[in-house]
Amino acid sequence: MPSAVGRARRTFEPFARVLLALVLVACSGPTHEPGPPEAPYDPLALPEAVDSNPDPHIFETTLEARVENLELIAGTTTPVWTYDGLLPGPLIRVAVGDRLIVHFTNDLPEETTIHWHGLRIPNDMDGVPDVTQPGVMPGGSFTYDFTVPDAGTYWYHPHYDSAEQVGYGLYGPIVVTDPNEPKDLGSEHVLVLSDMNLNPDGSLIPGDDAGDLGTLFGREGNTFLVNGKVNPLVTVPSGSRQRWRMINAAKSRYYQVGIQGQTFTRIGGDDGFIAAPQPLDRVVITPAQRADVVFDVALPPSSQVPVLWIPYDRGFGSVEFRNSATIFTLATDDHAPVTPPPLPALSRDIEPIDVSSATTQYLQLTENDQDGHVMLGINGVPGSQAQPLMAGVGDTQIWVVENTMDWSHPFHIHGFFFQVLDTNGVPPAVAEWRDTADVTVYGTTRLAVKFTDRPGMWMFHCHILDHADAGMMGMVHLHP
Ligand SMILES: [Cu+2]
């Protein structure tokens, strides 16, 4: 029979042990605590804009444009032009039909605005300085306030000195979600693809580098960036389904994206889902376009493969003597491969625009000389000197856009979706809504646009921003 002393010791000892353990834990600090399992580091994760409005259907936030020193090349700093100090700017994620309010302040040394690329919003929210709003001066502010009408992947960027400002880093992604979209589309990443022209010490190469030749070709940065990073290592489970919402935010570079041994299924483009999924080995995204792709990672465990930029022929000098480059490295973890559920059936009714009573506008994309300097234009006239095209609300128009130059032009219309009728006589492989379409070297793209509503002055331009700034832009005056 245990003595009273023995009982007391046995009762005391566990207390002492617990006490000792507590003291040890307190002294050893948090590193010895097991804690919750850490989520694997995701270098592609983007900080998201924060909603300060309690109304679930209003997303209200702030954006500040400012110069921020960031380390893009290891050991150097670059004075990047940013939204909120981030490259790219914060991801704005809203649901279709939400009201978005952005209180914007400009702390750059230069005038700026925000253009909401692809969003079908009222004209006075379109962000074109001196056309739809006064430019936002240094120290100034402007409130953007509109309803987001369409699900899809979009982006925002300035429309003042845009080649320089976008080239220096001013851009950010917008995802407009649809609560009714099919599930099982995969683990989602928003990929903002861009480039930046940097000196070895990290400083910015000026936006007028290489003079007229730079303007004609369109300046491509020498540093590839994905979500503001240089060649990050991204680890995912073997076999897992990935969904990449890719945005080409580069000011001039075309992205042709490919992975050795991997097929993509493109499910969306500029303005939401396309009519039917499209299998592709490579995805071509002109400046400003978007591509929404899914794929099941065709890599064994513990392996890695480069996600490549592959030279794409957009005219003289774009493919000659150029090699593929790594955008980032895709790796698999050491777990057994996973098998995702079958891809849900995806289809979207995209009725062809009725062009039976459409009028036709002819636009030649032209190169002009002015005082011995390269000047670009539309129908021989730079944007600053051009008369606007005319359209009435409810009109349908066919725009025949003809390229007379040695370089392709990604042609963008603000505020409206359009349908490409054909490119060099060939209709698109799959029906889709676009806001930016490629016009190939000496080629012709015909597109149909219905000006449904929202009168005002709407801009259109080449989205090689060096070309736009050199005059390849114009306006369509949409009257009530
Ligand atoms: Cu162009």
Side-chain angles (χ1 to χ4, degrees):
M1 234 184 129
S3 69
V5 173
R7 274 204 301 275
R9 189 189 291 133
R10 277 195 294 275
T11 315
F12 171 73
E13 276 186 343
F15 271 118
R17 287 203 192 97
V18 166
L19 197 65
L20 187 66
L22 283 174
V23 167
L24 283 175
V25 164
C27 292
S28 64
T31 52
H32 287 222
E33 287 200 68
E38 256 184 68
Y41 171 66
D42 179 2
L44 295 178
L46 289 169
E48 296 199 10
V50 177
D51 177 14
S52 64
N53 194 306
D55 186 320
H57 301 294
I58 302 177
F59 192 103
E60 186 166 5
T61 194
T62 60
L63 275 181
E64 180 195 34
R66 65 169 192 262
V67 177
E68 184 85 14
N69 285 313
L70 299 177
E71 183 174 329
L72 302 179
I73 301 174
T76 70
T77 56
T78 301
V80 180
W81 291 35
T82 73
Y83 294 109
D84 290 358
L86 300 167
L87 181 70
L91 168 61
I92 297 176
R93 190 185 288 276
V94 289
V96 63
D98 280 358
R99 180 175 160 198
L100 176 61
I101 303 170
V102 176
H103 302 281
F104 172 63
T105 52
N106 178 13
D107 285 312
L108 297 170
E110 189 176 273
E111 179 180 347
T112 193
T113 58
I114 302 182
H115 168 59
W116 309 91
H117 187 113
L119 296 181
R120 299 196 293 177
I121 56 179
N123 188 253
D124 60 356
M125 293 289 117
D126 195 46
V128 179
D130 305 322
V131 177
T132 68
Q133 68 166 95
V136 185
M137 295 299 164
S141 59
F142 190 87
T143 296
Y144 294 93
D145 183 347
F146 49 80
T147 297
V148 178
D150 303 286
T153 311
Y154 304 93
W155 61 301
Y156 56 96
H157 66 78
H159 227 285
Y160 180 90
D161 258 354
S162 53
E164 180 181 79
Q165 294 193 357
V166 172
Y168 290 174
L170 279 173
Y171 41 78
I174 306 174
V175 168
V176 182
T177 57
D178 175 358
N180 299 317
E181 79 168 25
K183 306 298 172 210
D184 299 328
L185 293 179
S187 167
E188 181 180 304
H189 277 115
V190 177
L191 302 184
V192 181
L193 307 172
S194 65
D195 60 16
M196 201 174 278
N197 218 10
L198 301 176
N199 291 307
D201 66 358
S203 58
L204 291 162
I205 293 175
D208 59 357
D209 180 53
D212 281 350
L213 214 61
T215 299
L216 276 174
F217 184 70
R219 297 173 180 88
E220 297 182 356
N222 56 14
T223 306
F224 286 84
L225 297 170
V226 55
N227 294 359
K229 295 194 166 66
V230 177
N231 190 12
L233 177 69
V234 179
T235 304
V236 298
S238 167
S240 63
R241 179 164 302 148
Q242 303 294 314
R243 179 186 188 182
W244 289 354
R245 291 177 180 263
M246 293 188 276
I247 301 165
N248 185 350
K251 65 174 181 161
S252 296
R253 183 182 295 278
Y254 281 49
Y255 267 85
Q256 175 166 238
V257 179
I259 302 174
Q260 180 74 41
Q262 183 74 58
T263 301
F264 302 106
T265 300
R266 189 171 74 102
I267 62 171
D270 289 350
D271 305 302
F273 288 124
I274 60 179
Q278 185 185 30
L280 291 171
D281 292 331
R282 296 173 175 185
V283 185
V284 175
I285 318 166
T286 75
Q289 285 183 336
R290 285 82 70 205
D292 190 352
V293 303
V294 298
F295 64 98
D296 298 345
V297 176
L299 271 179
S302 303
S303 51
Q304 52 178 258
V305 68
V307 178
L308 294 174
W309 172 88
I310 300 161
Y312 181 76
D313 189 356
R314 64 171 184 89
F316 181 74
S318 60
V319 290
E320 297 88 344
F321 311 110
R322 295 184 114 188
N323 297 317
S324 296
T326 299
I327 306 168
F328 65 100
T329 303
L330 185 66
T332 47
D333 61 26
D334 56 4
H335 296 100
V338 297
T339 308
L343 193 64
L346 290 168
S347 68
R348 178 181 180 187
D349 284 331
I350 296 181
E351 280 288 305
I353 292 180
D354 178 6
V355 292
S356 56
S357 57
T359 52
T360 302
Q361 305 265 21
Y362 294 92
L363 292 86
Q364 272 194 341
L365 309 178
T366 50
E367 179 183 336
N368 326 63
D369 275 342
Q370 194 139 321
D371 308 324
H373 271 286
V374 164
M375 190 73 121
L376 305 183
I378 294 176
N379 295 335
V381 184
S384 57
Q385 300 164 23
Q387 292 297 313
L389 305 181
M390 299 299 286
V393 167
D395 286 359
T396 300
Q397 296 192 345
I398 295 172
W399 287 21
V400 180
V401 188
E402 183 191 351
N403 184 356
T404 68
M405 286 177 58
D406 284 320
W407 294 275
S408 300
H409 301 291
F411 186 80
H412 170 50
I413 304 180
H414 284 212
F416 295 87
F417 298 169
F418 56 74
Q419 290 176 2
V420 172
L421 298 174
D422 57 73
T423 304
N424 306 323
V426 181
V430 53
E432 65 183 292
W433 292 105
R434 285 211 167 282
D435 54 57
T436 307
D438 198 26
V439 189
T440 60
V441 176
Y442 296 105
T444 298
T445 295
R446 294 192 321 132
L447 55 91
V449 55
K450 187 168 165 69
F451 294 105
T452 45
D453 50 10
R454 295 169 296 124
M457 274 290 197
W458 293 100
M459 182 166 256
F460 52 87
H461 59 93
C462 176
H463 225 288
I464 289 183
L465 295 173
D466 289 304
H467 292 176
D469 285 1
M472 195 173 281
M473 50 169 64
M475 310 273 180
V476 54
H477 183 195
L478 179 58
H479 50 82

